[in-house]
Amino acid sequence: MLTLHTQGHHVTAGPESFSPAVTWLDLYNPTRDEELRLEGHLGVFLPTREDMAEIEASSRLYLEDGAAFMTAQVAFFGGEAQLQSGPVTFVLVGGRLVTIRYIQPASFKIFSDHIEKQPAMCVDGPTTFLNLLDIIIDRTADLIEKTSHGIDELSKSIFTTKRKTKLEDVLIRLGGAQNDIVKICDSLVSLTRLTVFAAGLERPVVGVKNSAGLRDYHDRLLTMSQDVASLSDHATYVSGNIAFLLDAALGLINVEQNLIVKVISIVSVIFMPLTLIASIYGMNFDVMPFLHQKYAFETVCVIMVLITVALLGLFKNKRWI
């Protein structure tokens, strides 16, 4: 599907229908026929889905036929419990922006809504590129905040005396949070490379009209690069916090298991002498001490109680309980 944008208005149409006023062409799940027809209009070869999946920097960031091709991983919620990510290619060609994607991150919907109210955000290709990239970065920051908030909630459920959540469930949720932060970090790394590459583009490739426009373009990219760097630091902190909570949860599980073994061991030790006494008096002999005395049963019960109290006192003194 090809969506054409012209300063606040967008329509779904074929490649042959766009005019010079079109500043942004958004290809979502394009067919090969749509790609070929658009390539004929733009005079450049667009990357295929397989090309976008390449991880080499030379395959993601390059110049060709006077156009700049930039591919970044974008993290998003795609209706699943965990974050997903996928490549989005930005092409600056002839003063226009072309985006190619096979995913639906919320940032594109947000940007489309913004340009309906603020047409100046889509006045030309470079401006559209910068504003869309800015929203993608802002959305990534929101994803980090959401993940960080979830980690805070998990921390409270781990370090509490009255735990309502099983630690096994906490481990599963920590694993999900780690998956999310990995997707975010991967996205931030690709965005860092993209901003650096985009900042090095010359004026004819960018498509700005004068040096002042190029200077504003570079200033905005510098600000975005700083934002991405700060987000990367925060994502690294969140990842470290997840690792700490994972170690803490595993440690608490180990402590609980040791406590169970400890209780079983103490009970076993206490019952050992009692079992010995019961076993002795369960022997089938006619002559045994206290066997036929009047208060023999009560005496043996008292001895058992005293042994139990003595052992408990010993364990308490040794700080085993």
Side-chain angles (χ1 to χ4, degrees):
M1 182 178 69
L2 172 62
T3 304
L4 312 179
H5 300 257
T6 58
Q7 297 190 31
H9 302 283
H10 58 275
V11 295
T12 302
E16 66 281 351
S17 63
F18 70 82
S19 68
V22 174
T23 57
W24 176 27
L25 298 93
D26 182 29
L27 281 77
Y28 171 60
N29 273 332
T31 64
R32 187 54 187 158
D33 183 58
E34 288 176 332
E35 290 176 343
L36 291 173
R37 283 186 291 167
L38 187 57
E39 287 175 352
H41 281 276
L42 297 176
V44 296
F45 292 102
L46 299 177
T48 64
R49 188 169 190 172
E50 292 73 19
D51 295 332
M52 294 168 60
E54 296 289 341
I55 62 174
E56 300 92 340
S58 59
S59 299
R60 293 197 161 205
L61 306 167
Y62 60 93
L63 296 173
E64 187 175 271
D65 297 328
F69 296 81
M70 299 164 283
T71 302
Q73 285 290 121
V74 177
F76 68 101
F77 278 108
E80 303 291 337
Q82 305 300 327
L83 277 179
Q84 302 176 54
S85 69
V88 174
T89 297
F90 305 86
V91 184
L92 286 174
V93 53
R96 293 190 180 97
L97 172 68
V98 179
T99 53
I100 309 170
R101 57 191 176 96
Y102 297 86
I103 58 175
Q104 283 189 303
S107 49
F108 278 78
K109 178 65 169 60
I110 295 171
F111 183 61
S112 296
D113 293 340
H114 282 353
I115 61 178
E116 288 284 353
K117 301 175 182 177
Q118 305 176 50
M121 295 182 68
C122 193
V123 68
D124 56 29
T127 302
T128 305
F129 168 65
L130 292 175
N131 289 325
L132 177 56
L133 188 60
D134 194 21
I135 288 180
I136 290 174
I137 294 172
D138 287 342
R139 180 60 180 167
T140 304
D142 294 339
L143 296 178
I144 295 176
E145 290 176 3
K146 180 178 177 63
T147 304
S148 180
H149 178 72
I151 293 303
D152 290 340
E153 294 298 320
L154 286 176
S155 178
K156 293 176 183 178
S157 64
I158 292 174
F159 300 107
T160 179
T161 54
K162 297 180 180 179
R163 190 177 299 110
K164 297 180 180 180
T165 306
K166 293 182 179 180
L167 287 175
E168 291 82 355
D169 295 335
V170 171
L171 289 177
I172 294 174
R173 292 172 61 186
L174 283 173
Q178 181 64 18
N179 171 80
D180 291 349
I181 206 66
V182 166
K183 292 287 194 300
I184 292 172
C185 288
D186 186 28
S187 177
L188 290 172
V189 168
S190 66
L191 288 172
T192 299
R193 294 173 178 171
L194 186 148
T195 53
V196 171
F197 178 84
L201 297 177
E202 298 180 354
R203 192 174 75 179
V205 178
V206 175
V208 293
K209 297 179 180 179
N210 50 49
S211 299
L214 184 62
R215 186 166 53 253
D216 292 340
Y217 169 85
H218 285 156
D219 289 342
R220 287 196 61 183
L221 278 175
L222 177 60
T223 301
M224 291 181 194
S225 180
Q226 293 170 345
D227 290 341
V228 172
S230 64
L231 290 177
S232 297
D233 291 340
H234 189 63
T236 301
Y237 162 76
V238 175
S239 180
N241 198 17
I242 292 174
F244 166 73
L245 292 178
L246 180 61
D247 290 340
L250 291 173
L252 288 173
I253 290 176
N254 188 43
V255 168
E256 290 183 355
Q257 291 176 340
N258 289 340
L259 181 60
I260 294 173
V261 174
K262 179 181 178 180
V263 171
I264 294 175
S265 300
I266 289 175
V267 171
S268 300
V269 171
I270 289 175
F271 275 92
M272 281 177 61
L274 308 185
T275 303
L276 177 61
I277 294 174
S279 299
I280 291 174
Y281 280 91
M283 296 179 181
N284 293 322
F285 295 122
D286 291 331
V287 181
M288 293 182 68
F290 306 110
L291 186 61
H292 300 291
Q293 292 188 10
K294 184 177 181 180
Y295 298 105
F297 174 74
E298 290 81 357
T299 302
V300 172
C301 288
V302 170
I303 292 173
M304 289 182 173
V305 171
L306 291 176
I307 291 173
T308 302
V309 172
L311 289 175
L312 289 174
L314 176 63
F315 296 155
K316 187 72 174 179
N317 184 55
K318 296 288 188 180
R319 296 184 179 179
W320 293 348
I321 58 174

